[in-house]
C-alpha cells in the first residue's frame, strides 16, 4: 500500500513537471511569437524572419547597399550607398508591423507559416537625397562611361572579311539605374548588380546576328571572285583586293556593290585594249611603214553587256578565265590586231595585195573611187562585212550586177568589174568607181575564195617604192591572174596617145561602180 502511494506521488510529480515545462515552453514560444516575426515572413519584399521590430529598426539605421558597376575594361567597381545618406527609417505605418506580430499564433509560429505582407508607407526616406546619392555614382559620370558599339564586318584582308565583336561599353540607362537601386533599398538588399539587373545600354547588333552573318557570307563570296582576262600576251586579273574597294556594308548590314566601279573598270579595259577607230603602224608590201588612220576595224567591247555579266559573276563568287563581250572582234590582240591574213590596198598606186597566214597569195591592180567626182575610197582599216555571190549593186543612178561582192565600209566593197579592161595607174582620178574597189574578175574570184566576214581590209595612201605598177590590162580569154605590165619609158607616138585618149573619154561616160 505504501509502495503504491509512492508510485502515485512520483507520477504526479512527473506529470506536474511536464505540465510546468509545457507551460513554460508555451509561454516562451508565445512571447517569441509576439516579439519576433515567424519564419517565412516577408514585409514589402524584406525577409524579416526571426527578427524583432527593434532589430529591424536598428538594421535600418545601419543599413547600406553595395552597388556593383561595370568599368570600361569590363571589370567591376563597387560603391556603397548608406541609409544615413538619405535618412531611411520605418515610416508612419510602424503599427502595421506591430499588428503582424500580434496576429501571430503559437501554432503558426511553431509551424513556420509566415507569409508576405505589403504595407504602405513602410519605409520613409528623403527621396531627393537618395536620388542625388544614386546619381553621384561613377556610372553616371560621362568620363567614366563608354557607349556600346555594334558588331560589324571588318575591313578586307588577304583572308577575307570577319566579324568584329560588339563592345558592350558601360553606359547606363540612367532612369533604370535609379529605379533598380530604389527597389533594392525597398527590399533592404545588401547589394545590387547593375549588370544582372540589365541596367546598361546594349549594342543593337551582336556577333550572333543572323543579318550580320549573312552579310559576312555575301561579302566573302563577292571577294572570292577571281576573273582572269587574257588579251593576247597581256593579262588582267580582277580579284578580291580590287572588288573589296567596290563594296560596302551599309547601316542595315546590306552588302552593296558600287556599279559605277564596275563601269569604270570595264571602261579601263576598253581604253587599254579596244582598237576600233584607232591608228595603226602598217608595213606595206613596198617595204615602207605608214600610219593608217580611220576605219572601224578592231576590238570593240560591248561594255554594257560586259558590265552586267561581270556583276553576275561577282555575285556568284566566280573563279574563271573570261573573254569580254564584244560588238566586234579583231584577228588578234596587240598593235597588229589585223593578224597575218588581210587585204592590202594602196590607194595611191592603185594596187591590191592579198595575204593569207603571212604569205602573199596575189597582187593586182585595181580601180578605186573617182577622185574627180569626190567619190574617193576612204583610207582606213576595215573588216569585210559579209561576202555574197551574184549581187546587184544599186545606187542613185546605177544598178550593176556583179559576181563577187565583198563590202567592208558600208556600201563600199571589193567586187569584179568585167566592164573594165584596165586596172591600176591613174584611172581612178577621172574614171574611178563610186567608191568601191573594182577588180579584174579572176582576181575578185580568188579574193572571194579566201576572205570572209571580218577579214581585215587595210586601205592607205603611199607612193611606196618607185613602183612600176601603173596599169593592169586584163585579157578576156582564160584569165587566171591579173598581171602587172611594165610601161615602156619610150614615149608613145601621137596616134597611140590620141586613140588612148578617145578610148578613155568613151569609158568615162559609162556608169561605173
Amino acid at each position: 500500500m505504501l509502495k503504491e502511494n509512492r508510485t502515485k506521488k512520483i507520477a504526479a510529480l512527473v506529470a506536474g513537471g511536464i505540465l510546468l515545462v509545457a507551460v513554460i515552453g508555451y509561454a516562451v514560444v508565445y512571447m517569441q511569437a509576439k516579439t519576433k516575426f515567424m519564419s517565412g515572413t516577408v514585409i514589402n519584399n524584406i525577409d524579416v524572419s526571426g527578427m524583432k521590430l527593434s532589430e529591424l529598426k536598428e538594421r535600418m539605421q545601419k543599413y547600406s547597399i553595395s552597388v556593383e558597376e561595370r568599368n570600361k575594361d569590363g571589370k567591376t567597381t563597387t560603391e556603397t550607398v548608406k541609409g544615413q545618406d538619405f535618412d531611411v527609417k520605418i515610416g508612419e505605418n510602424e503599427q502595421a508591423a506591430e499588428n503582424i506580430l500580434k496576429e501571430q499564433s503559437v501554432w503558426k509560429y511553431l509551424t513556420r507559416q509566415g507569409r508576405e505582407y505589403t504595407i504602405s508607407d513602410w519605409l520613409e526616406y528623403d527621396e531627393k537625397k537618395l536620388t542625388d546619392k544614386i546619381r553621384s555614382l561613377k556610372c553616371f559620370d560621362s568620363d567614366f562611361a563608354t557607349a556600346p558599339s555594334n558588331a560589324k564586318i571588318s575591313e578586307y584582308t588577304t583572308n577575307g572579311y570577319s566579324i568584329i565583336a560588339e563592345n558592350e561599353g558601360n553606359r547606363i540607362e540612367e532612369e533604370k539605374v535609379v529605379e533598380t537601386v530604389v527597389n533594392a533599398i525597398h527590399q533592404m538588399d545588401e547589394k545590387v548588380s547593375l549588370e544582372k539587373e540589365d541596367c546598361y545600354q546594349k549594342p543593337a547588333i551582336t556577333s550572333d546576328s543572323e543579318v550580320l552573318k549573312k552579310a559576312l557570307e555575301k561579302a566573302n563570296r563577292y571577294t572570292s571572285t577571281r576573273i582572269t582576262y587574257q588579251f593576247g600576251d597581256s593579262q588582267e586579273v580582277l580579284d578580291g583586293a580590287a572588288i573589296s574597294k567596290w563594296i560596302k556594308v551599309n547601316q542595315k548590314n546590306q552588302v552593296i556593290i558600287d556599279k559605277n566601279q564596275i563601269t569604270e573598270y570595264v571602261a579601263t579595259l576598253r581604253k587599254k585594249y579596244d582598237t576600233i577607230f584607232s591608228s595603226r603602224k602598217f608595213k606595206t608590201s613596198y617595204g615602207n611603214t605608214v600610219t593608217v588612220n580611220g576605219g572601224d576595224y578592231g576590238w570593240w567591247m560591248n561594255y554594257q553587256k560586259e558590265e552586267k555579266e561581270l556583276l553576275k559573276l561577282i555575285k556568284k563568287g566566280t573563279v574563271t578565265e573570261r573573254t569580254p563581250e564584244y560588238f566586234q572582234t579583231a584577228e588578234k590582240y596587240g598593235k597588229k590586231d589585223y593578224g597575218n591574213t588581210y587585204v592590202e590596198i594602196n590607194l595611191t598606186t592603185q594596187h591590191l595585195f592579198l595575204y593569207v597566214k603571212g604569205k602573199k597569195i596575189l597582187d593586182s591592180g585595181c580601180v578605186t573611187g573617182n577622185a574627180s567626182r569626190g567619190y574617193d575610197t576612204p583610207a582606213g582599216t576595215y573588216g569585210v562585212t559579209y561576202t555574197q555571190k551574184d549581187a546587184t549593186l544599186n545606187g542613185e543612178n546605177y544598178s550593176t550586177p556583179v559576181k563577187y561582192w565583198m563590202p567592208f565600209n558600208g556600201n563600199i566593197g571589193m567586187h569584179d568589174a568585167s566592164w573594165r579592161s584596165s586596172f591600176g595607174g591613174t584611172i581612178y582620178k577621172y574614171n574611178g568607181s563610186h567608191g568601191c574597189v573594182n577588180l579584174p574578175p579572176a582576181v575578185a574570184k580568188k579574193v572571194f575564195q579566201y576572205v570572209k566576214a571580218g577579214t581585215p581590209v587595210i586601205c592607205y595612201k603611199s607612193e611606196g617604192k618607185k613602183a612600176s605598177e601603173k596599169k593592169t590590162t586584163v585579157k578576156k580569154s582564160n584569165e587566171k591572174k591579173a598581171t602587172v605590165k611594165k610601161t615602156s619609158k619610150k614615149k608613145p607616138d601621137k596616134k597611140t596617145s590620141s586613140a588612148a585618149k578617145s578610148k578613155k573619154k568613151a569609158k568615162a561616160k559609162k556608169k561605173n561602180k
Side-chain angles (χ1 to χ4, degrees):
M1 191 71 180
L2 184 59
K3 188 176 182 179
E4 288 181 6
N5 290 335
R6 186 180 297 174
T7 301
K8 289 179 179 180
K9 285 181 180 180
I10 292 171
L13 288 172
V14 171
I18 293 172
L19 180 60
L20 179 61
V21 170
V23 170
I24 294 171
Y26 178 83
V28 170
V29 174
Y30 178 82
M31 290 301 296
Q32 288 182 344
K34 298 304 177 183
T35 57
K36 292 183 178 181
F37 295 103
M38 71 179 71
S39 179
T41 302
V42 177
I43 301 176
N44 288 27
N45 295 319
I46 302 172
D47 188 350
V48 295
S49 300
M51 198 180 293
K52 291 182 180 180
L53 189 56
S54 59
E55 291 174 340
L56 180 57
K57 290 180 180 180
E58 185 179 352
R59 179 184 172 186
M60 285 187 173
Q61 290 173 356
K62 296 179 179 180
Y63 174 73
S64 65
I65 183 170
S66 297
V67 182
E68 292 183 354
E69 307 160 65
R70 186 200 300 160
N71 290 333
K72 290 181 179 181
D73 58 7
K75 296 181 180 179
T76 300
T77 292
T78 301
E79 294 186 86
T80 301
V81 176
K82 296 180 180 180
Q84 62 189 27
D85 293 335
F86 54 94
D87 304 332
V88 67
K89 61 183 179 180
I90 294 178
E92 296 178 355
N93 208 356
E94 182 179 336
Q95 185 60 48
E98 293 177 352
N99 291 338
I100 293 173
L101 291 172
K102 290 178 181 180
E103 292 173 1
Q104 293 183 157
S105 66
V106 173
W107 174 251
K108 288 181 179 181
Y109 190 85
L110 290 173
T111 55
R112 300 182 178 183
Q113 296 184 21
R115 62 187 182 85
E116 294 186 10
Y117 296 88
T118 300
I119 301 175
S120 59
D121 301 325
W122 169 240
L123 286 183
E124 183 179 291
Y125 56 86
D126 188 317
E127 291 185 8
K128 185 177 184 306
K129 285 184 177 181
L130 176 57
T131 302
D132 290 345
K133 182 62 179 177
I134 294 172
R135 291 187 177 276
S136 70
L137 296 172
K138 284 184 179 180
C139 59
F140 284 87
D141 185 350
S142 58
D143 293 334
F144 179 78
T146 300
S149 60
N150 292 332
K152 61 181 181 180
I153 305 296
S154 71
E155 295 294 325
Y156 178 80
T157 68
T158 54
N159 295 321
Y161 295 94
S162 60
I163 292 178
I164 298 176
E166 67 276 10
N167 184 346
E168 294 189 348
N170 64 332
R171 181 170 290 176
I172 56 170
E173 298 282 356
E174 294 187 3
E175 297 306 317
K176 190 169 185 179
V177 169
V178 173
E179 180 184 353
T180 296
V181 175
V182 169
N183 287 339
I185 289 172
H186 275 248
Q187 297 177 45
M188 300 298 286
D189 290 336
E190 294 181 355
K191 68 178 180 178
V192 62
S193 169
L194 301 185
E195 179 88 40
K196 292 179 180 178
E197 295 299 326
D198 200 22
C199 292
Y200 290 96
Q201 295 179 10
K202 293 181 179 180
I205 301 171
T206 59
S207 300
D208 58 358
S209 165
E210 289 301 319
V211 173
L212 193 62
K213 289 178 181 178
K214 288 180 180 179
L216 176 66
E217 185 277 329
K218 185 175 288 187
N220 278 329
R221 172 159 36 92
Y222 289 176
T223 52
S224 68
T225 300
R226 184 179 177 85
I227 298 174
T228 303
Y229 289 96
Q230 196 71 42
F231 297 95
D233 295 331
S234 298
Q235 192 178 78
E236 299 288 339
V237 178
L238 176 63
D239 57 15
I243 295 171
S244 67
K245 298 175 183 178
W246 302 356
I247 67 177
K248 64 179 180 179
V249 182
N250 64 17
Q251 292 182 345
K252 295 182 179 180
N253 283 311
Q254 297 171 320
V255 182
I256 307 297
I257 300 177
D258 186 349
K259 295 180 181 179
N260 291 328
Q261 296 287 349
I262 295 178
T263 298
E264 289 183 15
Y265 179 75
V266 173
T268 300
L269 296 181
R270 290 176 60 204
K271 184 176 180 180
K272 195 171 181 179
Y273 296 106
D274 270 12
T275 57
I276 189 171
F277 308 126
S278 64
S279 298
R280 295 169 177 81
K281 295 291 184 181
F282 176 70
K283 187 173 183 179
T284 72
S285 296
Y286 302 92
N288 64 317
T289 299
V290 298
T291 299
V292 182
N293 297 311
D296 60 0
Y297 181 81
W299 297 99
W300 183 15
M301 193 180 295
N302 186 337
Y303 64 94
Q304 292 176 323
K305 192 171 182 180
E306 182 58 23
E307 288 170 19
K308 291 179 181 178
E309 291 301 315
L310 191 53
L311 178 61
K312 290 179 183 177
L313 294 173
I314 292 172
K315 287 184 175 181
K316 292 178 180 178
T318 306
V319 177
T320 187
E321 293 183 359
R322 177 166 178 78
T323 299
E325 299 288 339
Y326 283 105
F327 288 116
Q328 174 181 290
T329 62
E331 182 62 27
K332 59 183 288 188
Y333 288 104
K335 293 181 179 180
K336 295 183 178 180
D337 59 349
Y338 47 82
N340 56 14
T341 296
Y342 56 86
V343 176
E344 173 187 347
I345 301 173
N346 189 330
L347 300 173
T348 303
T349 63
Q350 292 286 287
H351 214 78
L352 176 147
F353 303 87
L354 172 63
Y355 286 86
V356 177
K357 296 182 179 180
K359 182 179 179 181
K360 185 169 72 173
I361 301 300
L362 65 81
D363 66 273
S364 168
C366 61
V367 177
T368 61
N370 191 327
S372 64
R373 299 179 63 187
Y375 293 149
D376 301 77
T377 302
T381 306
Y382 307 91
V384 172
T385 311
Y386 61 89
T387 61
Q388 182 182 349
K389 280 188 176 182
D390 300 322
T392 299
L393 309 182
N394 297 304
E396 186 175 342
N397 55 3
Y398 65 86
S399 180
T400 305
V402 297
K403 289 185 177 181
Y404 307 105
W405 172 230
M406 297 160 281
F408 59 83
N409 179 14
N411 291 325
I412 295 174
M414 299 175 286
H415 62 77
D416 53 298
S418 58
W419 55 89
R420 290 188 186 276
S421 59
S422 297
F423 296 83
T426 58
I427 298 172
Y428 76 102
K429 291 183 177 181
Y430 56 86
N431 189 25
S433 69
H434 284 81
C436 285
V437 179
N438 290 178
L439 298 172
V443 173
K445 179 180 180 181
K446 192 164 186 179
V447 172
F448 190 89
Q449 290 173 349
Y450 284 100
V451 303
K452 60 183 179 179
T455 299
V457 178
I458 304 170
C459 303
Y460 63 89
K461 294 180 180 181
S462 175
E463 293 294 336
K465 292 181 178 180
K466 293 181 179 179
S468 58
E469 298 92 337
K470 295 297 181 182
K471 183 172 69 173
T472 299
T473 301
V474 180
K475 295 181 179 181
K476 296 293 182 178
S477 59
N478 300 323
E479 181 179 38
K480 292 185 179 180
K481 179 178 178 181
T483 57
V484 180
K485 294 181 66 177
K486 293 183 179 179
T487 58
S488 172
K489 292 183 180 179
K490 183 179 179 181
K491 294 182 180 180
D493 57 42
K494 291 183 179 181
K495 289 183 179 180
T496 302
S497 298
S498 177
K501 287 181 181 179
S502 298
K503 189 174 182 180
K504 288 177 181 177
K505 288 180 180 180
K507 279 285 187 180
K509 293 179 181 180
K510 290 186 178 181
K511 299 174 183 178
N512 294 300
K513 176 64 183 169

